[in-house]
Amino acid sequence: MQLRLGSIVKELGGELRGNPERLVDGLAPLESATPSQLSFLANPKYAQQLAASRAGCVIVAESMRDQAVARGDCIVAAEPYLYFARVTQLWKRALDGASAPGVHPSAVVDPDAVIDPTARIGPLCIVERGARIGAGTELKGRVSIGENCVVGERCILHPGVVIGADGFGFAPDGQGAWEKIEQLGAVRIGNDVEIGANTCIDRGALGDTVLEDGVKLDNLIQIAHNVRIGKHTAMAGCAAVAGSATIGAYCTIGGRAGILGHLQIVDHVHISATSLVTRSILKPGHYTGVFPIDDNAAWEKNAAALKQLHKLRERIKALERGND
Amino acid sequence: MQLRLGSIVKELGGELRGNPERLVDGLAPLESATPSQLSFLANPKYAQQLAASRAGCVIVAESMRDQAVARGDCIVAAEPYLYFARVTQLWKRALDGASAPGVHPSAVVDPDAVIDPTARIGPLCIVERGARIGAGTELKGRVSIGENCVVGERCILHPGVVIGADGFGFAPDGQGAWEKIEQLGAVRIGNDVEIGANTCIDRGALGDTVLEDGVKLDNLIQIAHNVRIGKHTAMAGCAAVAGSATIGAYCTIGGRAGILGHLQIVDHVHISATSLVTRSILKPGHYTGVFPIDDNAAWEKNAAALKQLHKLRERIKALERGND
Amino acid sequence: MQLRLGSIVKELGGELRGNPERLVDGLAPLESATPSQLSFLANPKYAQQLAASRAGCVIVAESMRDQAVARGDCIVAAEPYLYFARVTQLWKRALDGASAPGVHPSAVVDPDAVIDPTARIGPLCIVERGARIGAGTELKGRVSIGENCVVGERCILHPGVVIGADGFGFAPDGQGAWEKIEQLGAVRIGNDVEIGANTCIDRGALGDTVLEDGVKLDNLIQIAHNVRIGKHTAMAGCAAVAGSATIGAYCTIGGRAGILGHLQIVDHVHISATSLVTRSILKPGHYTGVFPIDDNAAWEKNAAALKQLHKLRERIKALERGND
């Protein structure tokens, strides 16, 4: 598969400095690109790699134009990383053609589910009664959509995703056992949402669990009942959100991060990987709580001291009093 | 769908103060319930919401009777939250009717598996040779039950659950590679167990992995080979238990918590979310080990100091000696 | 099912001290083995259990020969644990016979996938266009292999595994939304790799995600795009590796451990359970970063002090200056 530089620029805009007839047969990072490949420089800290790159053409920002032209062919674009993303889409379409809509014959779709005719339901999917799948949405293979759950338009759900399993709700029965609280809500997913492999989004207990437009979830994420995630928030792999937490828009939640139940997180909050959010976060910003890794022997000494930390604080206080 | 207050009380007991002919068409929390909905007050700390609630009827404890009656219709019950749980069950049955037992035609069930005729095996499930599924148990879609594994009565297994994959057992071969230890045990699950979406319970290496009656597991949980979990223990999402750990009865394990292998945890132990249990816990109680979250700049300073903590302790000791 | 001691030694080597005609009908740990079972002593710290064991025969190291012979029948082997592993394999083969190769009729295999005739594709698997499955490899039920992904020889993939879902790649579009970066690479898995239930390995963005020969992954692990894992590295349940991280050979990664993106970890590195690797590790060794668990009240005091730790350090400095 080959694309002409001229046709890329015709499709995506940007200014081509170089030969529009040049063909590229792949995309690659600066350091490994060959003369028949297209590359990009998104982060100025890699500018030194530009001159040395063997790439046939490089996508660069306005500010790098002169350096890029001195090296060879380039496409000048306002946002090189975004431009690169759009080239990957162009590439994918050229490779695959449009993937045909429709329901794979091995999928199990309830007659009372509503599937938009432009949606694609992959092999071995399950779509239950009352569920609705919007236009242009694709369920890859082995995806489950539970009763009455709604998935918007242009969404992508990867293999193994489970939408609308029961939330984890039980009342103590007074004898030490648990009585099930039936989960009577559903899941509502907006448009342009992508959900990674084996991620689970539980149905609400009474109201619904909600993902707003443009939310992006990585693999193996747990979203509990009645969580609400604001638009364009992105969450990395293995994150977990407990019941009834509300997360704002434009947040990023790092991999393996956790959010306890019933908390509120406002817009534009960034949580580092692995951190556990234990209280509401009402101010935009970047938050972290991770034990720093160390060689095991050093960790053991510090961890032992940590278990005495409040006593150490008392000893410091005592020393300060003694010095008075 | 509507239920008469009179018929709810007839079914579930409790004392109705109000009009038995009143119809409710939904369940909702106090703050959002409409005059046609039923609500509940389980936690006295929300008592102030009672007077302001527009709910058509509220389930309350004996102690709240007078305040509730002053507001409007109510059902007085010994345990309002448990009563509410049972109303959700009533509601679910009224909505769905009884879900029909039987094996979905798309499921792959080995002829040497034994399925109780009152069990329900959902679409695209796999039940292997020698497995047994008890009365009233429901496997939702896309559940795998491995060879010789046993699931008791009235269990619910949500989509993507894997029972009886091989435990993670390998012996070093002396040349840096790993030799597989075949996992010859199975999984035995008691009655009234619920297992969340995409949770995995591995078969034992020699003996079996065991979940006793009434255990409740949330989504994406990992239970390794030869673990034993005591009755009515509940575990929240993304928890993980390593091989041969024994967990008592009536425990609660928070989301993302971990338990190392070969440990013992006695009955009535509560582990906070995200904490890692690194030694046996022989005393009932509440245990925690989580790095407190902070804004990232403060975290960086504290984390750096933490890596020097044992040296700080030495410096405090030196100061104390100096003061002697 | 019964095996003769003589036939075990004939098959696997080792020196039998005892009756070759003795039959064993199972394998069990020393403390629970019955006179008809075979056991093993792999760790010298359990040597005291040897004399008391009722096992019909015990596999022991050279150094334990005399003690073992004094007790009863034994097999002397250079590496008792490795020998035991091989006995489990013998046992499994005797129990099951050879599992038949071939594609289960319920699997969905693209006509342009290449399946070795000695491979076994279990029920309800999906193998997409251009994928290749090597000789002797077994996909248990409900495994997904994405387009153009390659699985080597003699691999075992457990239920729910997803190979080749899209990596989590998005470019900010300048208006707060995310633009998809199509993931144009694939996944390449070497020989003798085992992958646990519901584990996900994403395809690369441009190049491929690579697992070298002999890698062993437990359940519910997340391997992001363009990760590379060196040969014979083993990872326990719920571990997660972010994009473009490179992990060496002969490493062990504990359960729930995390590795941030773009890091390098050299050969022979061991990461403790739950620890987060936040910088490259260029020296073999054992690394840990875990908040020590404690009873909740003690944890609360220490966690509160930890949030002031850098101030405590300043106070120690001040005291030290005061003492000068």
PDB file of all heavy atoms in Angstrom, chain A residues 140-165:
ATOM      1  N   LYS A 140     -16.607  -4.595  18.359  1.00  0.00           N
ATOM      2  CA  LYS A 140     -15.712  -5.661  17.900  1.00  0.00           C
ATOM      3  C   LYS A 140     -16.248  -6.992  18.441  1.00  0.00           C
ATOM      4  O   LYS A 140     -17.281  -7.028  19.104  1.00  0.00           O
ATOM      5  CB  LYS A 140     -14.303  -5.396  18.425  1.00  0.00           C
ATOM      6  CG  LYS A 140     -13.788  -3.998  18.136  1.00  0.00           C
ATOM      7  CD  LYS A 140     -13.224  -3.922  16.746  1.00  0.00           C
ATOM      8  CE  LYS A 140     -12.582  -2.539  16.538  1.00  0.00           C
ATOM      9  NZ  LYS A 140     -11.959  -2.434  15.215  1.00  0.00           N
ATOM     10  N   GLY A 141     -15.530  -8.068  18.252  1.00  0.00           N
ATOM     11  CA  GLY A 141     -16.051  -9.376  18.662  1.00  0.00           C
ATOM     12  C   GLY A 141     -16.188  -9.524  20.168  1.00  0.00           C
ATOM     13  O   GLY A 141     -15.491  -8.891  20.945  1.00  0.00           O
ATOM     14  N   ARG A 142     -17.136 -10.387  20.579  1.00  0.00           N
ATOM     15  CA  ARG A 142     -17.260 -10.757  22.003  1.00  0.00           C
ATOM     16  C   ARG A 142     -17.497  -9.556  22.915  1.00  0.00           C
ATOM     17  O   ARG A 142     -16.859  -9.414  23.949  1.00  0.00           O
ATOM     18  CB  ARG A 142     -16.028 -11.537  22.474  1.00  0.00           C
ATOM     19  CG  ARG A 142     -15.779 -12.819  21.696  1.00  0.00           C
ATOM     20  CD  ARG A 142     -14.942 -13.827  22.464  1.00  0.00           C
ATOM     21  NE  ARG A 142     -13.630 -13.381  22.814  1.00  0.00           N
ATOM     22  CZ  ARG A 142     -13.242 -12.961  24.002  1.00  0.00           C
ATOM     23  NH1 ARG A 142     -14.062 -12.959  25.027  1.00  0.00           N
ATOM     24  NH2 ARG A 142     -12.018 -12.572  24.189  1.00  0.00           N
ATOM     25  N   VAL A 143     -18.428  -8.706  22.538  1.00  0.00           N
ATOM     26  CA  VAL A 143     -18.851  -7.580  23.381  1.00  0.00           C
ATOM     27  C   VAL A 143     -20.268  -7.874  23.869  1.00  0.00           C
ATOM     28  O   VAL A 143     -21.091  -8.405  23.112  1.00  0.00           O
ATOM     29  CB  VAL A 143     -18.832  -6.264  22.569  1.00  0.00           C
ATOM     30  CG1 VAL A 143     -19.496  -5.126  23.336  1.00  0.00           C
ATOM     31  CG2 VAL A 143     -17.395  -5.916  22.197  1.00  0.00           C
ATOM     32  N   SER A 144     -20.551  -7.537  25.143  1.00  0.00           N
ATOM     33  CA  SER A 144     -21.900  -7.728  25.692  1.00  0.00           C
ATOM     34  C   SER A 144     -22.543  -6.380  26.010  1.00  0.00           C
ATOM     35  O   SER A 144     -21.946  -5.578  26.735  1.00  0.00           O
ATOM     36  CB  SER A 144     -21.849  -8.515  27.002  1.00  0.00           C
ATOM     37  OG  SER A 144     -21.378  -9.821  26.803  1.00  0.00           O
ATOM     38  N   ILE A 145     -23.747  -6.179  25.500  1.00  0.00           N
ATOM     39  CA  ILE A 145     -24.525  -4.977  25.831  1.00  0.00           C
ATOM     40  C   ILE A 145     -25.801  -5.443  26.526  1.00  0.00           C
ATOM     41  O   ILE A 145     -26.636  -6.123  25.920  1.00  0.00           O
ATOM     42  CB  ILE A 145     -24.897  -4.180  24.562  1.00  0.00           C
ATOM     43  CG1 ILE A 145     -23.660  -3.916  23.691  1.00  0.00           C
ATOM     44  CG2 ILE A 145     -25.613  -2.883  24.938  1.00  0.00           C
ATOM     45  CD1 ILE A 145     -22.662  -2.955  24.265  1.00  0.00           C
ATOM     46  N   GLY A 146     -25.953  -5.065  27.792  1.00  0.00           N
ATOM     47  CA  GLY A 146     -27.075  -5.550  28.588  1.00  0.00           C
ATOM     48  C   GLY A 146     -28.382  -4.831  28.295  1.00  0.00           C
ATOM     49  O   GLY A 146     -28.418  -3.803  27.605  1.00  0.00           O
ATOM     50  N   GLU A 147     -29.427  -5.375  28.845  1.00  0.00           N
ATOM     51  CA  GLU A 147     -30.791  -4.855  28.669  1.00  0.00           C
ATOM     52  C   GLU A 147     -30.892  -3.354  28.848  1.00  0.00           C
ATOM     53  O   GLU A 147     -30.418  -2.805  29.848  1.00  0.00           O
ATOM     54  CB  GLU A 147     -31.697  -5.478  29.737  1.00  0.00           C
ATOM     55  CG  GLU A 147     -32.420  -6.692  29.294  1.00  0.00           C
ATOM     56  CD  GLU A 147     -33.406  -7.165  30.357  1.00  0.00           C
ATOM     57  OE1 GLU A 147     -34.109  -6.327  30.974  1.00  0.00           O
ATOM     58  OE2 GLU A 147     -33.436  -8.377  30.563  1.00  0.00           O
ATOM     59  N   ASN A 148     -31.525  -2.723  27.885  1.00  0.00           N
ATOM     60  CA  ASN A 148     -31.888  -1.302  27.974  1.00  0.00           C
ATOM     61  C   ASN A 148     -30.696  -0.352  27.977  1.00  0.00           C
ATOM     62  O   ASN A 148     -30.874   0.845  28.217  1.00  0.00           O
ATOM     63  CB  ASN A 148     -32.744  -1.034  29.222  1.00  0.00           C
ATOM     64  CG  ASN A 148     -34.035  -1.817  29.185  1.00  0.00           C
ATOM     65  OD1 ASN A 148     -34.636  -1.982  28.127  1.00  0.00           O
ATOM     66  ND2 ASN A 148     -34.458  -2.335  30.323  1.00  0.00           N
ATOM     67  N   CYS A 149     -29.487  -0.856  27.740  1.00  0.00           N
ATOM     68  CA  CYS A 149     -28.323   0.032  27.701  1.00  0.00           C
ATOM     69  C   CYS A 149     -28.252   0.710  26.328  1.00  0.00           C
ATOM     70  O   CYS A 149     -28.665   0.139  25.315  1.00  0.00           O
ATOM     71  CB  CYS A 149     -27.044  -0.744  27.988  1.00  0.00           C
ATOM     72  SG  CYS A 149     -27.004  -1.357  29.694  1.00  0.00           S
ATOM     73  N   VAL A 150     -27.718   1.924  26.333  1.00  0.00           N
ATOM     74  CA  VAL A 150     -27.701   2.733  25.116  1.00  0.00           C
ATOM     75  C   VAL A 150     -26.266   3.111  24.784  1.00  0.00           C
ATOM     76  O   VAL A 150     -25.542   3.623  25.640  1.00  0.00           O
ATOM     77  CB  VAL A 150     -28.534   4.018  25.327  1.00  0.00           C
ATOM     78  CG1 VAL A 150     -28.478   4.905  24.092  1.00  0.00           C
ATOM     79  CG2 VAL A 150     -29.968   3.666  25.684  1.00  0.00           C
ATOM     80  N   VAL A 151     -25.858   2.861  23.557  1.00  0.00           N
ATOM     81  CA  VAL A 151     -24.538   3.260  23.070  1.00  0.00           C
ATOM     82  C   VAL A 151     -24.766   4.240  21.919  1.00  0.00           C
ATOM     83  O   VAL A 151     -25.547   3.951  21.007  1.00  0.00           O
ATOM     84  CB  VAL A 151     -23.723   2.042  22.589  1.00  0.00           C
ATOM     85  CG1 VAL A 151     -22.321   2.470  22.150  1.00  0.00           C
ATOM     86  CG2 VAL A 151     -23.645   0.981  23.681  1.00  0.00           C
ATOM     87  N   GLY A 152     -24.069   5.391  21.978  1.00  0.00           N
ATOM     88  CA  GLY A 152     -24.304   6.462  21.009  1.00  0.00           C
ATOM     89  C   GLY A 152     -23.713   6.180  19.635  1.00  0.00           C
ATOM     90  O   GLY A 152     -23.525   5.028  19.232  1.00  0.00           O
ATOM     91  N   GLU A 153     -23.376   7.259  18.951  1.00  0.00           N
ATOM     92  CA  GLU A 153     -22.899   7.165  17.569  1.00  0.00           C
ATOM     93  C   GLU A 153     -21.374   7.133  17.512  1.00  0.00           C
ATOM     94  O   GLU A 153     -20.697   7.731  18.334  1.00  0.00           O
ATOM     95  CB  GLU A 153     -23.429   8.365  16.775  1.00  0.00           C
ATOM     96  CG  GLU A 153     -24.963   8.428  16.809  1.00  0.00           C
ATOM     97  CD  GLU A 153     -25.511   9.613  16.026  1.00  0.00           C
ATOM     98  OE1 GLU A 153     -24.710  10.388  15.471  1.00  0.00           O
ATOM     99  OE2 GLU A 153     -26.755   9.740  15.968  1.00  0.00           O
ATOM    100  N   ARG A 154     -20.882   6.460  16.488  1.00  0.00           N
ATOM    101  CA  ARG A 154     -19.433   6.432  16.197  1.00  0.00           C
ATOM    102  C   ARG A 154     -18.599   5.944  17.383  1.00  0.00           C
ATOM    103  O   ARG A 154     -17.449   6.374  17.548  1.00  0.00           O
ATOM    104  CB  ARG A 154     -18.937   7.806  15.748  1.00  0.00           C
ATOM    105  CG  ARG A 154     -19.559   8.337  14.468  1.00  0.00           C
ATOM    106  CD  ARG A 154     -19.133   9.762  14.187  1.00  0.00           C
ATOM    107  NE  ARG A 154     -19.460  10.660  15.291  1.00  0.00           N
ATOM    108  CZ  ARG A 154     -20.661  11.198  15.505  1.00  0.00           C
ATOM    109  NH1 ARG A 154     -21.656  10.953  14.667  1.00  0.00           N
ATOM    110  NH2 ARG A 154     -20.869  11.968  16.548  1.00  0.00           N
ATOM    111  N   CYS A 155     -19.159   5.083  18.210  1.00  0.00           N
ATOM    112  CA  CYS A 155     -18.376   4.518  19.315  1.00  0.00           C
ATOM    113  C   CYS A 155     -17.624   3.284  18.831  1.00  0.00           C
ATOM    114  O   CYS A 155     -18.000   2.662  17.826  1.00  0.00           O
ATOM    115  CB  CYS A 155     -19.297   4.122  20.465  1.00  0.00           C
ATOM    116  SG  CYS A 155     -20.129   5.540  21.216  1.00  0.00           S
ATOM    117  N   ILE A 156     -16.547   2.929  19.553  1.00  0.00           N
ATOM    118  CA  ILE A 156     -15.818   1.687  19.290  1.00  0.00           C
ATOM    119  C   ILE A 156     -15.711   0.935  20.617  1.00  0.00           C
ATOM    120  O   ILE A 156     -15.176   1.466  21.590  1.00  0.00           O
ATOM    121  CB  ILE A 156     -14.406   1.962  18.740  1.00  0.00           C
ATOM    122  CG1 ILE A 156     -14.477   2.775  17.451  1.00  0.00           C
ATOM    123  CG2 ILE A 156     -13.658   0.650  18.510  1.00  0.00           C
ATOM    124  CD1 ILE A 156     -13.108   3.214  16.926  1.00  0.00           C
ATOM    125  N   LEU A 157     -16.211  -0.286  20.640  1.00  0.00           N
ATOM    126  CA  LEU A 157     -16.102  -1.120  21.851  1.00  0.00           C
ATOM    127  C   LEU A 157     -15.260  -2.342  21.499  1.00  0.00           C
ATOM    128  O   LEU A 157     -15.601  -3.114  20.598  1.00  0.00           O
ATOM    129  CB  LEU A 157     -17.492  -1.539  22.344  1.00  0.00           C
ATOM    130  CG  LEU A 157     -18.210  -0.501  23.233  1.00  0.00           C
ATOM    131  CD1 LEU A 157     -18.506   0.771  22.474  1.00  0.00           C
ATOM    132  CD2 LEU A 157     -19.484  -1.089  23.811  1.00  0.00           C
ATOM    133  N   HIS A 158     -14.174  -2.516  22.221  1.00  0.00           N
ATOM    134  CA  HIS A 158     -13.209  -3.567  21.902  1.00  0.00           C
ATOM    135  C   HIS A 158     -13.632  -4.912  22.510  1.00  0.00           C
ATOM    136  O   HIS A 158     -14.517  -4.979  23.360  1.00  0.00           O
ATOM    137  CB  HIS A 158     -11.814  -3.128  22.326  1.00  0.00           C
ATOM    138  CG  HIS A 158     -11.272  -2.052  21.441  1.00  0.00           C
ATOM    139  ND1 HIS A 158     -10.791  -2.314  20.187  1.00  0.00           N
ATOM    140  CD2 HIS A 158     -11.196  -0.715  21.592  1.00  0.00           C
ATOM    141  CE1 HIS A 158     -10.411  -1.186  19.608  1.00  0.00           C
ATOM    142  NE2 HIS A 158     -10.650  -0.189  20.444  1.00  0.00           N
ATOM    143  N   PRO A 159     -12.957  -5.982  22.085  1.00  0.00           N
ATOM    144  CA  PRO A 159     -13.384  -7.325  22.507  1.00  0.00           C
ATOM    145  C   PRO A 159     -13.448  -7.485  24.026  1.00  0.00           C
ATOM    146  O   PRO A 159     -12.604  -6.981  24.761  1.00  0.00           O
ATOM    147  CB  PRO A 159     -12.293  -8.234  21.915  1.00  0.00           C
ATOM    148  CG  PRO A 159     -11.813  -7.511  20.709  1.00  0.00           C
ATOM    149  CD  PRO A 159     -11.860  -6.058  21.094  1.00  0.00           C
ATOM    150  N   GLY A 160     -14.451  -8.195  24.461  1.00  0.00           N
ATOM    151  CA  GLY A 160     -14.568  -8.547  25.866  1.00  0.00           C
ATOM    152  C   GLY A 160     -15.237  -7.499  26.728  1.00  0.00           C
ATOM    153  O   GLY A 160     -15.434  -7.723  27.928  1.00  0.00           O
ATOM    154  N   VAL A 161     -15.572  -6.355  26.142  1.00  0.00           N
ATOM    155  CA  VAL A 161     -16.250  -5.299  26.922  1.00  0.00           C
ATOM    156  C   VAL A 161     -17.606  -5.813  27.413  1.00  0.00           C
ATOM    157  O   VAL A 161     -18.320  -6.501  26.688  1.00  0.00           O
ATOM    158  CB  VAL A 161     -16.432  -4.037  26.059  1.00  0.00           C
ATOM    159  CG1 VAL A 161     -17.462  -3.091  26.668  1.00  0.00           C
ATOM    160  CG2 VAL A 161     -15.091  -3.330  25.882  1.00  0.00           C
ATOM    161  N   VAL A 162     -17.921  -5.450  28.668  1.00  0.00           N
ATOM    162  CA  VAL A 162     -19.218  -5.806  29.253  1.00  0.00           C
ATOM    163  C   VAL A 162     -19.911  -4.526  29.702  1.00  0.00           C
ATOM    164  O   VAL A 162     -19.479  -3.871  30.647  1.00  0.00           O
ATOM    165  CB  VAL A 162     -19.057  -6.756  30.453  1.00  0.00           C
ATOM    166  CG1 VAL A 162     -20.425  -7.082  31.050  1.00  0.00           C
ATOM    167  CG2 VAL A 162     -18.323  -8.032  30.053  1.00  0.00           C
ATOM    168  N   ILE A 163     -20.969  -4.183  29.011  1.00  0.00           N
ATOM    169  CA  ILE A 163     -21.774  -3.003  29.357  1.00  0.00           C
ATOM    170  C   ILE A 163     -23.059  -3.491  30.019  1.00  0.00           C
ATOM    171  O   ILE A 163     -23.803  -4.277  29.422  1.00  0.00           O
ATOM    172  CB  ILE A 163     -22.148  -2.196  28.091  1.00  0.00           C
ATOM    173  CG1 ILE A 163     -20.897  -1.812  27.279  1.00  0.00           C
ATOM    174  CG2 ILE A 163     -22.993  -0.975  28.446  1.00  0.00           C
ATOM    175  CD1 ILE A 163     -19.966  -0.864  27.963  1.00  0.00           C
ATOM    176  N   GLY A 164     -23.306  -3.025  31.231  1.00  0.00           N
ATOM    177  CA  GLY A 164     -24.614  -3.290  31.834  1.00  0.00           C
ATOM    178  C   GLY A 164     -24.710  -4.577  32.629  1.00  0.00           C
ATOM    179  O   GLY A 164     -25.810  -5.092  32.843  1.00  0.00           O
ATOM    180  N   ALA A 165     -23.570  -5.098  33.133  1.00  0.00           N
ATOM    181  CA  ALA A 165     -23.686  -6.133  34.165  1.00  0.00           C
ATOM    182  C   ALA A 165     -24.235  -5.458  35.414  1.00  0.00           C
ATOM    183  O   ALA A 165     -24.195  -4.233  35.559  1.00  0.00           O
ATOM    184  CB  ALA A 165     -22.323  -6.770  34.444  1.00  0.00           C
TER     185      ALA A 165
END
